[in-house]
Amino acid sequence: MDAQFVNGLQTLLLEISGASSTEAIQKATTTLNQQFYSSALCVPGLFSIAKDNGNPAVRQLAAVELRKRIPKFWGELDDSVQQQMREAVLKVIIDETNDPVRHSMARVISSIAKVDIPNQKWNNLVQFLYECCQSPTASHREIGIYVLDSLFETIADTMEAHMEHLFVLFKSLISDPESLVVQVTTLEALGKVAEFVEPENRDEVSSYQALVPSMVQVLQKCLATDNEAFASRCFDVFSTLLILEAPLLNRHLGELIEFSTSVGGNEDLDEKLRIMALNFLTWTATYKRGRLQKLKIVKPLIEKMMPITAQEDPEDIDEESPSRVSLRVLNILSTSFPPQQVFPTVISHVLRYMQSPDPMFRKGAMLSLAIIIEGCVDYTRSQAGDIVTLVCAGLSDGDERVRRASCMALGCIADELDDEIASYHEKLLPLIFNLTNESNVVIVKYAVNALDCILESIGDPIVNYLPQLMERLVVLLDSGAMEIKPIALSAIGSAAHSSGEAFAPYFDAVITRIKQAMALTGDDDVMALRGVATDMASTLAEAAGKDAFLPHLDETVQLALQGMESDSPLMRESGYCYFGVISRVFKDDFSKYIPFIAPLLLKTLRMDETVEFGFGLDSVNEGDLTGSGENDDEYDDDGPVNVNTAVADEKEVAADAAGELFANATSGFLPYVEDVAKELVKLLEHYSDTARKSAIVALFTFIRTFSKLASPEPWKPGVPLRVPIDENTASMIKIVIPALLNIWDDEDDKLVVIQICIELRSIMRDIGPAATIDYAEDISKHLLEIFEKKALCQTADLEDEDDRAGEEDEDELAEHDSLLIGAAADCVAEFAEVFADAFEPIMDTFLPHIAGYAKPTFATSERAMSVGCLAEISKNMGPAITKYAE
C-alpha cells in the first residue's frame, strides 16, 4: 500500500467531512476524481481509511466512496488483496461501534458480493451472516440481518435459493427478544423476500402468511414507543405487499384493516403515525378491491373514516392530516365500488353531522359529500335537489370553516353534476355572491371557484346575473388578493363562454386586462395569473367570435409564445391550451402561426422527463461526492428513476393541442404530422394515464382529419369495402390501430380503455368499416374481455382467483366499471352498423354477454345500456337479426 497515496486520499476526505461551503467540496471532489479515483489503488486505500481512521465521519465517507468504486475496480485487484479485504471487512463490521459506519460497511459487503457471488467466490459469506444472526450479541444480529437485507438489493437471485432457510431464520429474528432494530430490519428483509414469492408456490405463500402476525406485532411495538422512523419503514413494507401479485396479506387483511383504522382514528397518537396508518388504507382500497368486497368491509370502513373527517386540518392545503387522508380513503372507495355500497352510508352520516352543534362535524359532512361525488355521479343525479339543499345550509352556516368546506363541496359537485347544479342557480348564486364579499380570503377563493363551475354550465339564465357578476369579478381581478385573481379571471371566462354575444359590452374591458396579465412577470402566484390569462384569451375569442377577436390575435399569439419561452411548464401548458382553442376560432387562417408553434410542440413531446429533475450541489448529502443526492442508507443501484410530473402534464396538454391544430389549421400543420404522430405513438406507453388518453384522442383526430381532407363520398356498410379510403387515411390507420392494440393488452386504467372504446366507435361512425376492417378480430377480443370482466383494467386489483370469481358474480358495478361496459357496448353496436350483415358471426359471441346486463339484479343504468345496445344492433343488422329475435 502506497502510504503517500492513502495519506493524500485521507486528507481530502477529512477536508470534505468538515467543509462549510459547496466550493470547498467541489474543489476536493475534482481532485479526488482526477488523482485518486482513476486508479484501482483507491479501493484498498479507502478500505484502510474506513477501517482505521479515528473520525467516524471520515470512516463513513470512506466506506460510502469505497462502495461506489467496487463495481469498477474490484476485478483489477490481485486475488490476494481481494481475499484480505473479504476477511477484514467481516471483522471490521463486527468490531465497528458507530451505526452509520456499520451500515455503510454493510453496503460495501453487498457491493463486493454483487461481483463475487455470481463468480462462485466468497462462498462463506452467507454462512457468516447466518452465524451473526444467531449470535447471542444483539449488535451482531443487527448487522447480520442488515447485510442480509442489503444482499437482496444486489444478489437477489442467489438469495432466492436460500428461501426455505431464510423463512426459518426470519421467523426467529422477527421476534427478537431484545432488539427492535433486528425486528424492523427483518421486516424490511421480508418485504424484499416477498417480491420473489410466486403466487402458485403455496408452500412459500403459506410460510410468509404465517409470519404476518409477527410482522404486525413489530409495527405495534414501533407505534407503542412512538418510533416514527421505524413505524414508517414498517408501513412502507406493508404497502408494498399490497401491490404484489402473491396474496401474502390475504389471510390477515381484515385484521390489518381493523388495526389501521384503530390507529388512524386514535387522536392520542402522533399525527404522523395516524397518517401512515390511514395511507395504508388508501393503498388497501386501491389494490385490494376484490378482497374488501369479499370481506364485506366497505361499510364499516366508511363508518370509521367519517368521524376522522371532522377533525382539524392545517392551514397549508398541501400538508397531510388524518382528516385529509380519511377523505382520500372515501374518494377511492367511491370510485372503486358500486355507489349503492358507498353513497347511502356516507349520506346518512352527512345528514346526521349537519345537525350537529359541533361545526367540525358539519365541516366533515360537506367535505365527505364533495369527495365521493366523483364515483357516484349517475347515482346522485336524481338527488341533486336534496344535495343542493344540504350545500345551501352549509353556505349559510354561521361558522366560517363550514362555509369554506361548503364552497369547496359546491365546486366539486358542480364540476361533476354540472347541468343539474346549474339548474338551481336561483338558490345558489345569491349565496355565492354574498360569500365573495367576505373578509376571509380563503372563503372568497373557494366561493369564486364554485361560481366558476356553475357559470360554465348555466347557459342563457346568466344574462340576468351578468351586471352584478362582472362588477364583482372585475373588482376581485383588479384589487383582490393575488391567489384569488386567477380564479376570478377564470370565472369571467366561464361567464363569457355561457353568455356568448351578451358578453359583448364587457369584451373590451376584459381583453385589455387579459393582455396586461399575459405580459406579467414575477413569482409563482403572478405566473399563475399569467397562465390563466393566456388560457382565457382563447375562451374569450370563442365567446366573442372571429371578427371581434381578430384585432387582438397577433398580440395575444406573441404574448403566448413569449410565455412559452420561460422555464415554466405551466406557461407552456397555458400556451398549448390557448393555441388549441384559438385554432378552433380561426381555422385555417391560423396556419401562418403553426411554424412557430409546431417546433415547440415537438420539443415538449420529445422531452426527457428525468433531465430536469436533478439536484444541485446544495442538495448533495454528506458523504456523497458524485452530486447525485444519493443517500447511502437508501442505496439502490437499480431503483426507480425520478420523473418530472410537470413535464408529463405538459405532454398531455401538448397532445391535446396537436389534435386541435391539425383538425383546424390543417394546411399549416400538415408538414409536421408525421413527426408529431411518431411522438404521440410513443406517448401511448407513457406512465401517466391522462397523457395516454390525450395521445389516443389526438391520433384518432389525425385519422379523421386526413379523411376529411380527402373529401370522400359517404361510406357504405358491409364487407368487403364498397367505398375505398384515400392513401393518407389508410396509412394513418396502419400507424394508429396496431399501436393501440399493442398497448391495450397492458392497459390497467379503466378511463383509458373507455377512451379507446369511445374513439373506436367515433372513427367507425366517421369513416365506416375501413377504420377497423383489418383489426376487427383483435378489437372484438378486447371488447369481449370487458363484458366478461377479464380485462386487465378490471382485474388489476383482484389478486387471486377467489377475488376474481367474487367480482364476476357481483352484479352491482362501480360507476367507472359501468361506464367501461357501456363504452364497449356502444363500440359493438357501431360494429353492427358498419359491418351490417357481416356482423352476424360477432353477434353470436357478444349477444349472451350484452343480454346478461338486462337482468333485474343490475342497476337501471346497466339494464338500459343492454336494451339500448341490443336495439341499436337490431336496427343496424337489418333482416339478419331475425334469427336472434327470440
Side-chain angles (χ1 to χ4, degrees):
M1 178 72 67
D2 185 336
Q4 185 177 356
F5 182 91
V6 174
N7 286 336
L9 181 56
Q10 189 165 242
T11 299
L12 288 167
L13 294 178
L14 183 61
E15 285 181 18
I16 291 170
S17 67
S20 58
S21 69
T22 55
E23 289 79 12
I25 293 174
Q26 190 172 23
K27 182 179 177 181
T29 300
T30 301
T31 305
L32 282 169
N33 287 331
Q34 292 175 351
Q35 298 181 20
F36 293 89
Y37 292 161
S38 57
S39 166
L41 289 175
C42 70
V43 170
L46 286 166
F47 179 66
S48 174
I49 297 167
K51 177 168 66 77
D52 298 327
N53 192 278
N55 185 333
V58 174
R59 294 204 305 277
Q60 185 193 9
L61 182 55
V64 170
E65 293 300 298
L66 172 60
R67 185 261 299 161
K68 297 175 187 174
R69 313 303 152 199
I70 293 290
K72 182 177 180 180
F73 293 120
W74 184 253
E76 296 181 22
L77 300 177
D78 291 342
D79 288 347
S80 60
V81 175
Q82 290 181 355
Q83 185 57 30
Q84 288 172 9
M85 284 187 62
R86 291 187 195 105
E87 293 173 0
V89 75
L90 297 182
K91 184 177 186 305
V92 167
I93 204 166
I94 291 296
D95 294 341
E96 177 62 60
T97 57
N98 182 277
D99 281 342
V101 179
R102 285 200 304 172
H103 288 171
S104 296
M105 290 300 287
R107 299 297 190 184
V108 171
I109 292 173
S110 182
S111 188
I112 296 172
K114 186 175 183 178
V115 180
D116 275 359
I117 299 296
N119 293 315
Q120 281 70 55
K121 296 180 180 180
W122 213 4
N123 295 323
N124 66 328
L125 173 62
V126 174
Q127 182 58 39
F128 168 81
L129 296 175
Y130 274 18
E131 290 171 3
C132 284
C133 289
Q134 295 167 339
S135 166
T137 305
S139 62
H140 293 179
R141 297 196 301 276
E142 289 172 6
I143 202 63
I145 184 57
Y146 189 88
V147 178
L148 274 177
D149 177 50
S150 69
L151 289 180
F152 272 99
E153 299 168 4
T154 55
I155 54 168
D157 292 343
T158 301
M159 298 303 294
E160 195 176 357
H162 298 270
M163 197 75 85
E164 184 177 345
H165 299 294
L166 286 170
F167 275 126
V168 174
L169 179 64
F170 290 164
K171 182 178 180 181
S172 170
L173 294 175
I174 198 71
S175 301
D176 191 277
E178 55 181 316
S179 173
L180 187 57
V181 172
V182 171
Q183 292 179 301
V184 172
T185 311
T186 303
L187 189 145
E188 290 184 298
L190 280 165
K192 296 185 178 73
V193 167
E195 297 179 28
F196 301 95
V197 176
E198 297 294 338
E200 59 272 13
N201 189 329
R202 294 188 177 276
D203 288 340
E204 287 188 359
V205 170
S206 180
S207 295
Y208 200 104
Q209 289 177 336
L211 293 173
V212 171
S214 297
M215 294 168 70
V216 175
Q217 288 174 7
V218 174
L219 175 55
Q220 288 173 326
K221 286 183 183 178
C222 297
L223 295 172
T225 56
D226 286 331
N227 195 319
E228 180 188 326
F230 277 2
S232 176
R233 288 158 63 178
C234 294
F235 272 120
D236 283 345
V237 171
F238 282 115
S239 296
T240 299
L241 296 182
L242 288 171
I243 66 177
L244 297 177
E245 188 176 355
L248 303 178
L249 294 181
N250 266 17
R251 191 187 299 173
H252 306 284
L253 189 61
E255 293 92 328
L256 266 170
I257 292 171
E258 185 174 348
F259 170 70
S260 297
T261 54
S262 174
V263 172
N266 187 347
E267 295 187 66
D268 293 331
L269 289 173
D270 184 275
E271 267 204 0
K272 291 180 180 177
L273 298 176
R274 296 177 61 205
I275 288 168
M276 291 176 200
L278 292 167
N279 272 323
F280 174 78
L281 294 175
T282 68
W283 287 100
T284 304
T286 301
Y287 290 104
K288 297 296 179 185
R289 182 184 61 168
R291 183 57 48 173
L292 290 180
Q293 194 90 284
K294 191 170 184 179
L295 291 170
K296 301 189 183 303
I297 208 168
V298 174
K299 182 178 179 181
L301 187 53
I302 292 171
E303 291 172 341
K304 292 289 179 63
M305 292 301 101
M306 288 300 298
I308 304 175
T309 68
Q311 294 170 13
E312 290 282 356
D313 290 317
E315 285 300 317
D316 184 352
I317 61 172
D318 295 322
E319 186 178 338
E320 291 270 48
S321 69
S323 171
R324 285 173 179 159
V325 183
S326 69
L327 287 166
R328 196 179 307 140
V329 175
L330 291 177
N331 175 256
I332 295 170
L333 291 174
S334 77
T335 56
S336 302
F337 292 90
Q340 300 92 323
Q341 297 180 19
V342 177
F343 188 79
T345 305
V346 173
I347 199 66
S348 68
H349 282 76
V350 168
L351 291 170
R352 190 165 72 252
Y353 285 7
M354 287 301 289
Q355 302 301 315
S356 171
D358 186 343
M360 295 306 295
F361 277 91
R362 302 198 298 276
K363 180 268 307 186
M366 285 291 99
L367 294 180
S368 301
L369 184 59
I371 209 71
I372 66 162
I373 284 293
E374 181 187 0
C376 306
V377 177
D378 287 334
Y379 187 81
T380 55
R381 286 194 194 280
S382 61
Q383 304 175 58
D386 294 334
I387 291 172
V388 167
T389 299
L390 284 170
V391 172
C392 286
L395 295 173
S396 306
D397 198 278
D399 190 285
E400 67 177 24
R401 293 168 296 184
V402 182
R403 295 197 300 278
R404 179 173 64 182
S406 301
C407 289
M408 296 169 66
L410 180 56
C412 293
I413 296 165
D415 205 36
E416 299 291 349
L417 297 170
D418 46 1
D419 292 336
E420 288 79 8
I421 298 302
S423 68
Y424 291 93
H425 58 86
E426 291 180 350
K427 292 180 67 174
L428 290 167
L429 289 186
L431 294 172
I432 295 294
F433 281 144
N434 286 339
L435 293 174
T436 64
N437 290 302
E438 289 219 9
S439 58
N440 186 308
V441 170
V442 178
I443 289 181
V444 175
K445 174 182 172 181
Y446 286 114
V448 176
N449 181 67
L451 182 62
D452 185 11
C453 294
I454 294 172
L455 294 180
E456 196 168 350
S457 304
I458 192 172
D460 292 340
I462 195 174
V463 175
N464 300 321
Y465 302 100
L466 266 181
Q468 180 186 2
L469 185 66
M470 291 304 298
E471 180 183 356
R472 182 59 184 147
L473 290 176
V474 168
V475 168
L476 290 172
L477 178 60
D478 289 346
S479 56
M482 182 53 72
E483 62 187 286
I484 294 174
K485 290 185 176 188
I487 307 170
L489 184 53
S490 179
I492 290 172
S494 295
H497 170 76
S498 286
S499 57
E501 293 180 0
F503 195 79
Y506 309 99
F507 176 82
D508 289 339
V510 172
I511 191 60
T512 298
R513 287 171 169 82
I514 282 178
K515 288 191 292 186
Q516 290 170 349
M518 287 179 73
L520 292 172
T521 56
D523 59 19
D524 289 346
D525 287 337
V526 172
M527 296 308 287
L529 176 58
R530 180 173 178 174
V532 172
T534 304
D535 197 358
M536 288 304 104
S538 57
T539 301
L540 198 61
E542 271 200 312
K546 179 178 178 179
D547 293 339
F549 197 82
L550 184 58
H552 310 281
L553 179 61
D554 280 336
E555 185 178 359
T556 53
V557 167
Q558 293 307 317
L559 287 168
L561 287 170
Q562 289 169 17
M564 295 181 75
E565 291 173 0
S566 71
D567 293 331
S568 168
L570 173 63
M571 288 310 304
R572 293 193 290 274
E573 282 182 52
S574 301
Y576 290 133
C577 288
Y578 167 80
F579 293 133
V581 175
I582 205 78
S583 70
R584 293 203 301 256
V585 179
F586 288 91
K587 301 296 182 184
D588 228 31
D589 290 342
F590 194 70
S591 288
K592 63 181 181 181
Y593 300 107
I594 299 297
F596 302 99
I597 300 166
L600 295 173
L601 195 148
L602 282 166
K603 183 179 178 181
T604 289
L605 293 175
R606 290 168 177 163
M607 200 178 292
D608 182 351
E609 288 163 64
T610 62
V611 170
E612 295 187 11
F613 201 79
F615 299 92
L617 277 171
D618 290 343
S619 299
V620 177
N621 291 308
E622 182 179 350
D624 180 6
L625 308 187
T626 63
S628 66
E630 179 183 15
N631 183 327
D632 187 60
D633 287 340
E634 296 174 357
Y635 165 60
D636 183 1
D637 280 339
D638 301 313
V641 297
N642 291 313
V643 291
N644 190 335
T645 54
V647 176
D649 293 341
E650 186 181 328
K651 287 186 176 184
E652 173 194 340
V653 180
D656 291 334
E660 291 281 5
L661 289 168
F662 187 37
N664 299 305
T666 306
S667 62
F669 199 79
L670 201 54
Y672 304 95
V673 168
E674 184 177 352
D675 289 340
V676 173
K678 288 178 182 176
E679 300 306 320
L680 291 173
V681 166
K682 294 177 187 176
L683 200 60
L684 292 175
E685 300 188 39
H686 197 273
Y687 70 85
S688 164
D689 55 318
T690 52
R692 297 196 301 274
K693 279 176 60 181
S694 292
I696 290 165
V697 174
L699 285 167
F700 276 98
T701 301
F702 281 17
I703 297 174
R704 189 175 296 107
T705 304
F706 270 126
S707 178
K708 288 179 180 177
L709 269 176
S711 301
E713 63 178 284
W715 61 267
K716 296 179 181 178
V719 177
L721 292 182
R722 296 160 64 188
V723 178
I725 57 171
D726 68 286
E727 184 178 343
N728 286 332
T729 305
S731 296
M732 188 55 64
I733 289 172
K734 288 178 182 177
I735 291 171
V736 174
I737 305 295
L740 192 72
L741 292 170
N742 184 51
I743 61 107
W744 199 341
D745 279 331
D746 300 320
E747 183 52 68
D748 61 0
D749 187 274
K750 291 186 181 75
L751 296 181
V752 175
V753 178
I754 289 170
Q755 195 66 52
I756 291 173
C757 294
I758 289 170
E759 295 301 326
L760 283 170
R761 182 195 186 194
S762 177
I763 204 66
M764 285 191 285
R765 176 170 288 180
D766 288 339
I767 70 173
T772 54
I773 190 169
D774 294 330
Y775 311 99
E777 185 176 344
D778 285 338
I779 295 171
S780 296
K781 181 197 79 170
H782 286 295
L783 295 174
L784 184 60
E785 286 178 349
I786 293 171
F787 286 116
E788 293 175 338
K789 300 183 185 177
K790 294 179 180 177
L792 179 61
C793 64
Q794 295 166 299
T795 62
D797 53 356
L798 305 177
E799 66 179 4
D800 59 25
E801 292 302 321
D802 288 344
D803 287 349
R804 293 188 179 101
E807 181 74 6
E808 288 166 14
D809 292 339
E810 181 63 60
D811 285 348
E812 290 183 344
L813 300 176
E815 289 207 347
H816 286 178
D817 292 295
S818 179
L819 289 171
L820 173 63
I821 290 167
D826 288 342
C827 208
V828 171
E830 201 61 40
F831 262 129
E833 181 170 0
V834 299
F835 290 142
D837 54 2
F839 178 74
E840 187 174 332
I842 302 176
M843 179 65 167
D844 291 334
T845 301
F846 285 110
L847 178 60
H849 297 287
I850 296 172
Y853 286 94
K855 291 190 302 183
T857 49
F858 279 98
T860 303
S861 56
E862 281 85 54
R863 297 173 68 193
M865 174 277 297
S866 174
V867 173
C869 179
L870 292 173
E872 282 287 313
I873 291 172
S874 300
K875 180 186 73 174
N876 295 330
M877 284 184 66
I881 194 66
T882 306
K883 63 177 280 189
Y884 304 102
E886 293 184 7

